[in-house]
Structures are given as C-alpha cells and as structure tokens.
Amino acid sequence: MRSDLVKKDYTKAPHRSLFNAMGYVEEEMERPLVGVVNSQSEIVPGHIHLDTIAKAVKEGVRLAGGTPIEVPAIAVCDGIAMGHVGMHYSLVSRDLIADSVETLALAHQFDALVLIPNCDKVVPGMLMAAARVNIPTVVVSGGPMLAGLHKGKKLSLSQMFEAVGAKSAGTISDEELLQIEEEACPSCGSCSGMFTANSMNCLTEAIGMGLPGNGTIPAVVAQRVRLAKKAGIQVMELLKKDIKPRDIMTKEAFMNALAVDMALGCSTNSMLHLPAIAHEAGVRIDLEVANEISARTPNLCKLAPAGDHFIEELNGVGGVPAVMKELSKKDLLYLDTMTVTGKTTGENIKNAQAKGHEIIKSIDAPYSQTGGIAVLKGNIAKEGCVVKRSAVVEEMLVHEGPARVFDSEDETMEAILSGRIQPGDVVVIRYEGPKGGPGMREMLSPTSALAGRGLDNCVALITDGRFSGATRGAAIGHVSPEAAMGGEIGVIREGDMISIDIPAGSIQLKISDQELQERMKAFVPKEPKIKTGVLARYAKLVQSASKGAILSAE
C-alpha cells in the first residue's frame, strides 16, 4: 500500500508517533488510509451540509475495511462573489483546489481518495487533482438545491438576478423583489437549474468518476446520504481492483461527457473545465472537437435557465443514466469505458429508461438535432467563442447590430441599469478574460439585468469573460484570444456592426480586412486590472480560454 511509506517498518516510528498523537490505533493503521477531501464551509449554500456527506462517506469506508481521514478543501460561492471584486477569484480557485488536493494526497501518501465537491469550480478542480494524483478515487457531490416557488411557478437563483433588472426597469415592486428573494433558494445544495455546478456534477457521472445519481439526487433527501455511503464503500473496491482515474478518464470518456453535455444543454463553463480536466489526464480536447460532437448530438433537455424544468425533475425521470440511454440508441456513446462502479458505461445504463419524454426528449424527437452548446469563430474570435444555444430564443440565433463597447463588467452594468442599452445592440465586454480580468469573471449580473429589462430577446452580449450557467439569451463568452492577449475583440469600436450567426457558427466584425489589420497594428492591450497577490500570479501563468484557461507549466 502507498500508505506504508508513512507507517511501516522501524524507520517510520516518528511518523507513527504523530498518528498516535491524533488518536489513531494500530487496527486503523493496518488498514488502507483513504483521504476524504471535504470542501464544506459556512459561506457556500452548496457546501454547508457537506459535513453530513463526509460523515456518510467515512461510514462507508469503514464498512468496507478502510480508515477514512478527512481533510479540507476551499470553495467559492459564485453567487455571493458575483458582481464585485470577489468574482475575480472564482476561476482562480479551481487551480488552487487542484493544487491543494494533490498536495494533501501526496504529502500524506493516501491509498485512495473520496472527493466531496458541489459547486462550480470545486468539481473540476477536484477532477483535475484526481487525474494528477491517479490513485483510486470516487467523486460524490453534495447534490442540487430544491427549486423555489413564486406565485405557483418554480424558480431559481437566475430569476433572482433577473428580478434586479426588473426592479431597475420599474416592472416589479420592492415588495415583490423581497418576496422572490425569500423564495428563490429554499434549501442547501447547488443552485437548482442546469448551471455550472450541476452541469459538472452530471458530467462527472458521464466521465465515469461519479456513481449514478451523483449529478441529480437532491441535497436534502436520504438517497444522497446513501449515495455517499456507497461512494465510501466503492472506493475500497476500486482499491482492490487497482482501478485509477486515468483508467476511467480516457479520451472516449471525455467524448461521452461532451455528448451528454450537448444533450443536457449544460453551462458554457463546461467548455473551460472539460479541456482542463482532460489536460491533466493526458487527453487533448478542444473547441473543434466540441463542435464536431455538438453537430451530431441532439439536444434532449431544456432545464432552467433554458426551460422551465429543474434538476430535481431530471432526477425524477431517470437522471443522467436515462439521458445516456437515449444517446446510446443512436450509437452516440462509447459504452466500453470503465467507471467507478467497476462496470462499463454500457453496463451502468443497461436498464436505464426515461420515465416519459416531457423532460428528457426521445432521441427520435429532440428539441434540436444539434447540441445545446455552440462554438462560433470569426475575425474577432479566431480561436473561438462559446454560446449556450439551447438558451437562445429563435429570433436571436441570427443577429446583426451596433457594438456598445465596455472595458469592464462594472461599466456595462451601469449602462444597462440606466437604460442606455437599446434593442438591437450588441454589448461588448472586454478585458474580463483569464489574463485581463484577471480571473475571467462570470457575467450573470449584466445578462440577468438585460433579461429583467426584457432585452434578452433583442440584445446580444459578447465578452472575453464568461457567463454563469444561469445565463440565458444570446450571451457569447470565452472570445479568444482575449483583449489582454492582443485579441481582435480589443479593437472593436463603438458603433461597429457585428454579425452573429449561431447556426452557421459565425461571428464577424463588419469591417474590411485591411482596416482590421490597421487597427491591430496600432493596438496596445491594457495591463491586467489587478497586479498583486494570487491574481497577479494567475495573470502571468494562465493560458487562453480556448485551452481551458489552464496554467502554463513554465
């Protein structure tokens, strides 16, 4: 066992004395040591209950003959960090989490790991670490929040942000805003739509690193606790069989994840995280691959914010296995990939079935024949940009309008809330990319403000930053290369016409090639806004969003 390096033979007497100091007994030391990485905290609603999940995991490990050892990981609540300096730290936290899990696992020579994330950057950060460390590992999330209810209609955090826009437009009162505030988030768990956290928890299943139900079982039901116990039991089985993350996270597994991503209509942030996780596993996937899979994969679900259904409802009709079963009917999955169940993907979904086709459409009658995410390219996005096509209304799939140019999210919000953005405009937000931000802030506040003011069906928004999974509308993010890296988005001028054709995968600044070249010759990118601390270091190391915003090894 790996842990023998810290507990066996006479040379490890000093190490054993330190275990003695923590109260471990000889019988525990003879068993495999399983690191239980718990990202619980009292500042993230998706994580506040993870002590319960960790307790269940540890019970499972003990039942199966292991010694669980709980260690911490950080987590950022994107909702609380939204719209101020805090959001610069969200994407940055992904790499801090990956580094800390790697550090704890290898410094203490754990034999296996159970990783307990739930929210946005914690899931991919832990998966990145699992690929790096490559010891038997199971991921078990904390589960989704229940949907809220307002005037008989289900809602989530995205409607809460949109209500701010509605209040600024004078279409709802202070009293109704307060009522929505009190009803939007009724329980602990990751926010209840197909936002980034739930997207990544569902894709963890599709990759094979989470047990069936990981992405959809609500946080507050007993089945979630039972799943956590099973995760603790199952990691011991993986240890016996020596099944490691890189045995699971193969190229074919990532192709499966991308197919499920397109079928579910996941957050555009998955186009940052899947390439970054794959990179750690020694697999290369990029926006071109994503576009190829999107072109052949039908969109089967329209979950909030793209539609009116929520994660708890997806769970009730069969969850991710049912979606994968539909995809398998047209040979859109690799069924021989290994998973943490110890069985193949095909074996896992053999008996899965969608309960009706209201929430999970039949593969023969999908919402669309192409996936929920689209990659666009053009003269202002030569490396590509990303849009959640399934959340765009029909009339905005093709759009042309004048650019309204801003060099930060903050300037944009002021313009939206003061009524300066008009129907037909194309809002351009730059210097919010991985390097220029630094940290590639999510833009839920401006997109929600546009929706709240009734402009999401007539105004497009493009940015070298990114969007929350809660965003809907023609919100096009990850424009690469970003302005701070000398990208063409940096030379767009107020009033320039921009043409967007999502079905054709095109985005174009309507000026001549010669004029674009002249502008680029004279272009001097602005320096990153923050020049101290972890953000300064991140800005120096981070690569393009088109590469998953991974950090350079140099």
Side-chain angles (χ1 to χ4, degrees):
M1 289 189 292
R2 294 169 60 91
S3 61
D4 288 351
L5 290 171
V6 298
K7 65 185 185 183
K8 290 291 185 181
D9 86 42
Y10 77 94
T11 63
K12 300 304 185 294
H15 303 67
R16 289 193 298 272
S17 70
L18 293 170
F19 279 97
N20 291 340
M22 294 182 281
Y24 290 99
V25 296
E26 184 177 350
E27 289 80 2
E28 289 175 299
M29 296 296 291
E30 289 174 352
R31 296 179 174 188
L33 303 184
V34 179
V36 178
V37 185
N38 182 8
S39 56
Q40 193 270 343
S41 75
E42 296 182 352
I43 193 59
V44 186
H47 291 233
I48 196 164
H49 64 302
L50 294 188
D51 51 346
T52 300
I53 302 300
K55 178 175 180 288
V57 166
K58 290 187 287 186
E59 288 171 354
V61 170
R62 289 192 185 97
L63 283 170
T67 296
I69 300 177
E70 186 175 341
V71 294
I74 65 167
V76 170
C77 177
D78 277 21
I80 294 174
M82 194 73 65
H84 57 88
V85 68
M87 182 46 70
H88 290 286
Y89 291 87
S90 174
L91 183 58
V92 174
S93 74
R94 184 187 73 179
D95 294 274
L96 295 174
I97 291 160
D99 292 347
S100 65
V101 174
E102 174 195 0
T103 300
L104 287 168
L106 296 182
H108 304 105
Q109 290 298 295
F110 292 134
D111 296 299
L113 294 170
V114 180
L115 306 178
I116 308 174
N118 209 20
C119 290
D120 293 40
K121 310 311 162 298
V122 192
V123 183
M126 288 191 174
L127 285 169
M128 289 164 67
R132 278 187 210 169
V133 175
N134 202 35
I135 60 176
T137 301
V138 177
V139 177
V140 58
S141 78
M145 183 184 292
L146 297 178
L149 191 66
H150 178 65
K151 295 183 176 179
K153 186 177 180 180
K154 288 185 176 181
L155 77 163
S156 67
L157 184 67
S158 61
Q159 283 83 17
M160 186 68 253
F161 274 90
E162 289 172 12
V164 174
K167 173 63 177 67
S168 74
T171 57
I172 65 170
S173 65
D174 289 337
E175 289 75 21
E176 185 168 5
L177 181 66
L178 178 60
Q179 189 176 8
I180 297 170
E181 177 184 329
E182 292 176 343
E183 295 168 344
C185 299
S187 76
C188 62
S190 49
C191 295
S192 56
M194 188 52 79
F195 312 147
T196 306
N198 292 326
S199 294
M200 293 311 302
N201 282 321
C202 288
L203 296 183
T204 298
E205 280 190 57
I207 293 171
M209 287 297 294
L211 296 173
N214 178 74
T216 59
I217 298 170
V220 294
V221 301
Q223 189 181 2
R224 175 59 60 176
V225 176
R226 296 202 301 272
L227 185 77
K229 288 182 183 177
K230 290 289 187 183
I233 293 169
Q234 190 57 31
V235 79
M236 296 301 296
E237 189 67 21
L238 295 182
L239 183 58
K240 289 175 188 174
K241 294 179 177 179
D242 195 31
I243 297 174
K244 301 184 181 72
R246 289 195 182 196
D247 299 322
I248 294 169
M249 289 194 279
T250 61
K251 182 175 182 179
E252 291 76 15
F254 283 102
M255 298 303 103
N256 285 348
L258 283 167
V260 172
D261 192 341
M262 301 306 166
L264 287 173
C266 290
S267 164
T268 52
N269 282 314
S270 63
M271 293 297 99
L272 282 175
H273 300 320
L274 288 176
I277 299 163
H279 173 76
E280 297 288 354
V283 175
R284 184 179 183 273
I285 62 172
D286 55 27
L287 296 183
E288 294 292 343
V289 173
N291 234 13
E292 291 170 12
I293 292 177
S294 180
R296 65 174 182 258
T297 307
N299 179 217
L300 304 181
C301 300
K302 279 191 179 290
L303 301 165
D308 296 326
H309 298 298
F310 293 80
I311 299 296
E312 63 196 59
E313 296 172 81
L314 176 63
N315 186 66
V317 298
V320 174
V323 174
M324 297 181 77
K325 183 70 171 184
E326 287 297 318
L327 293 175
S328 72
K329 293 175 182 178
K330 291 202 173 178
D331 298 322
L332 294 170
L333 297 176
Y334 294 91
L335 298 180
D336 292 333
T337 54
M338 180 52 62
T339 74
V340 292
T341 66
K343 300 176 182 178
T344 65
T345 295
E347 290 172 319
N348 286 346
I349 67 172
K350 181 179 179 181
N351 298 317
Q353 183 177 353
K355 299 174 184 176
H357 289 299
E358 180 186 0
I359 296 168
I360 303 172
K361 293 296 184 185
S362 164
I363 194 73
D364 296 315
Y367 283 108
S368 68
Q369 293 296 335
T370 53
I373 291 177
V375 176
L376 315 182
K377 282 195 171 182
N379 62 358
I380 51 172
K382 292 182 177 179
E383 295 176 6
C385 54
V386 182
V387 63
K388 188 170 183 173
R389 173 167 41 195
S390 59
V392 180
V393 295
E394 186 73 25
E395 57 266 34
M396 287 299 293
L397 290 173
V398 178
H399 179 76
E400 186 171 306
R404 306 298 308 280
V405 183
F406 304 94
D407 285 349
S408 72
E409 177 189 8
D410 312 88
E411 294 174 19
T412 311
M413 275 299 290
E414 193 279 327
I416 295 170
L417 295 178
S418 63
R420 287 159 43 206
I421 303 303
Q422 300 301 312
D425 286 346
V426 178
V427 175
V428 177
I429 311 176
R430 59 198 183 190
Y431 294 104
E432 290 287 6
K435 180 182 180 69
M440 204 178 186
R441 288 197 285 181
E442 286 186 345
M443 305 290 172
L444 181 56
S445 293
T447 56
S448 297
L450 287 171
R453 297 180 72 88
L455 295 172
D456 58 306
N457 63 353
C458 58
V459 170
L461 194 157
I462 68 172
T463 181
D464 54 10
R466 61 194 177 91
F467 295 108
S468 166
T471 291
R472 59 186 175 97
I476 301 164
H478 308 192
V479 170
S480 301
E482 62 174 291
M485 289 184 177
E488 284 78 2
I489 189 174
V491 299
I492 299 173
R493 295 174 181 170
E494 186 80 8
D496 282 346
M497 295 301 291
I498 295 176
S499 174
I500 298 163
D501 189 333
I502 294 173
S506 172
I507 183 166
Q508 293 288 333
L509 177 63
K510 304 286 281 188
I511 61 174
S512 68
D513 291 345
Q514 181 179 352
E515 183 176 351
L516 181 57
Q517 289 172 9
E518 290 174 355
R519 291 189 190 183
M520 290 298 292
K521 286 179 182 176
F523 178 42
V524 179
K526 293 182 178 181
E527 291 290 319
K529 301 181 184 77
I530 298 174
K531 298 179 175 62
T532 59
V534 66
L535 295 177
R537 184 167 69 248
Y538 185 85
K540 290 179 181 178
L541 296 176
V542 72
Q543 297 188 41
S544 172
S546 64
K547 298 179 180 178
I550 60 174
L551 300 186
S552 169
E554 297 177 1

